[in-house]
Amino acid sequence: MTALVELDNVSKYYGNIRALEGVSLEVHAGQISCVLGDNGAGKSTLIKIIAGLHRHDSGTFLIEGEQTSLANPREALDRGIATVYQDLAVVPLMPVWRNFFLGSEPTKGVGPFKRLDVELMRETTRSELLRMGIDLRDVDQPIGTLSGGERQCVAIARAVYFGAKVLVLDEPTAALGVKQSGVVLKYVAAARDAGLGVVLITHNPHHAYLVGDRFVLLKRGSMSGSHTKDSVTLDELTRQMAGGSELEDLRHELERAPVPTHLGGHPVKDDGPAA
């Protein structure tokens, strides 16, 4: 089956700085591909390449089997790639329905009588959110009054409505508690079940393993692992994410050494020479 998006041995450099080197990723319809890594691992650079913000310097970037190099985010949207960033890019004081259609507002009337079709936007927002299982109290309320999890869910429903084939989510649960994270992951799974290919960027292996089908681990701009769900356990994924042998070395370094007696340690009992 042809991948919706495929990166093969992709690299990105900023002058002499290596931001990404030799990274491969496949995104298939109805599957969630998780990209895991700590801060500075290269996750943001990978997002920017897929979203059309930056062009890759080497390697192959394919969309539905066609080799490409996106010029800008609008071209990515036109090719069916929608990216939901961590800050969500919403206008907090505007109502939910206005944020849902922000930049793509439908109008009615002609000439000087042309105006926003507010009723269509309200009804469409309400029905699309319900279709994703999101039952908001009022779509007229400012989106800033919603919880972080609810705002993420509105952004996901918006991408689905506007025809995204690939949904890229930048740390959607990073600033959320356990309950709200669970809500967001439920709607991430709903997007997958709607036939989208999802790229979930996260530093939380537990969240990734709950919904993920494929896992790519990044470390300092390079791939440190690539797995399918049936080839790796949560414990192994967590161990690799945490650094594996490096974490073990750190544990040995941090172990308490015996405290000398003159610094408050317990004296060692001396029974004299052995018989």
Side-chain angles (χ1 to χ4, degrees):
M1 184 172 59
T2 302
L4 294 175
V5 166
E6 182 177 357
L7 281 73
D8 183 22
N9 207 31
V10 163
S11 300
K12 177 65 182 177
Y13 299 90
Y14 300 101
N16 293 326
I17 306 299
R18 181 195 71 178
L20 213 62
E21 185 170 40
V23 173
S24 298
L25 173 70
E26 288 185 19
V27 184
H28 290 269
Q31 291 189 1
I32 298 175
S33 297
C34 300
V35 179
L36 298 102
D38 285 327
N39 292 336
K43 303 192 302 297
S44 295
T45 302
L46 184 63
I47 290 174
K48 290 172 182 175
I49 291 172
I50 298 174
L53 279 166
H54 292 171
R55 294 192 180 195
H56 57 290
D57 293 321
S58 64
T60 306
F61 181 13
L62 299 101
I63 298 178
E64 296 185 278
E66 179 185 343
Q67 189 167 331
T68 188
S69 180
L70 298 173
N72 52 60
R74 172 53 61 184
E75 186 179 343
L77 280 170
D78 292 342
R79 300 290 297 271
I81 300 173
T83 303
V84 178
Y85 293 98
Q86 198 170 341
D87 58 12
L88 293 178
V90 297
V91 183
L93 296 180
M94 281 186 176
V96 174
W97 61 265
R98 188 65 190 271
N99 276 278
F100 192 92
F101 281 92
L102 196 61
S104 303
E105 295 87 348
T107 58
K108 60 182 179 180
V110 294
F113 303 104
K114 196 173 187 178
R115 61 197 184 278
L116 294 178
D117 194 340
V118 175
E119 288 307 313
L120 175 63
M121 286 190 279
R122 281 196 180 111
E123 184 55 39
T124 301
T125 300
R126 187 179 293 110
S127 62
E128 286 302 311
L129 292 178
L130 278 173
R131 192 166 70 88
M132 289 286 290
I134 307 167
D135 188 7
L136 290 184
R137 296 174 293 279
D138 182 9
V139 295
D140 281 300
Q141 69 187 101
I143 199 168
T145 63
L146 301 182
S147 69
E150 288 173 325
R151 289 197 296 271
Q152 286 281 356
C153 296
V154 170
I156 292 170
R158 182 184 191 278
V160 173
Y161 172 72
F162 281 102
K165 297 178 182 178
V166 176
L167 180 62
V168 183
L169 300 170
D170 176 22
E171 298 276 8
T173 62
L176 304 181
V178 174
K179 186 175 181 180
Q180 287 194 30
S181 295
V183 170
V184 171
L185 291 175
K186 183 172 75 171
Y187 295 122
V188 172
R192 173 201 64 198
D193 295 342
L196 278 72
V198 181
V199 181
L200 177 63
I201 311 292
T202 182
H203 63 268
N204 191 318
H206 294 271
H207 291 169
Y209 202 78
L210 279 172
V211 295
D213 298 290
R214 299 168 182 266
F215 309 96
V216 170
L217 289 91
L218 298 183
K219 180 179 178 182
R220 298 173 189 170
S222 299
M223 287 179 63
S224 60
S226 179
H227 310 281
T228 56
K229 191 162 189 174
D230 58 2
S231 68
V232 67
T233 64
L234 173 58
D235 288 344
E236 178 60 20
L237 190 68
T238 304
R239 189 189 73 81
Q240 291 188 27
M241 173 73 186
S245 59
E246 291 182 9
L247 191 66
E248 185 66 20
D249 292 341
L250 180 62
R251 185 180 69 82
H252 287 305
E253 289 180 24
L254 297 178
E255 282 181 346
R256 289 180 181 271
V259 181
T261 303
H262 69 280
L263 293 179
H266 297 291
V268 179
K269 184 177 180 181
D270 185 4
D271 294 326

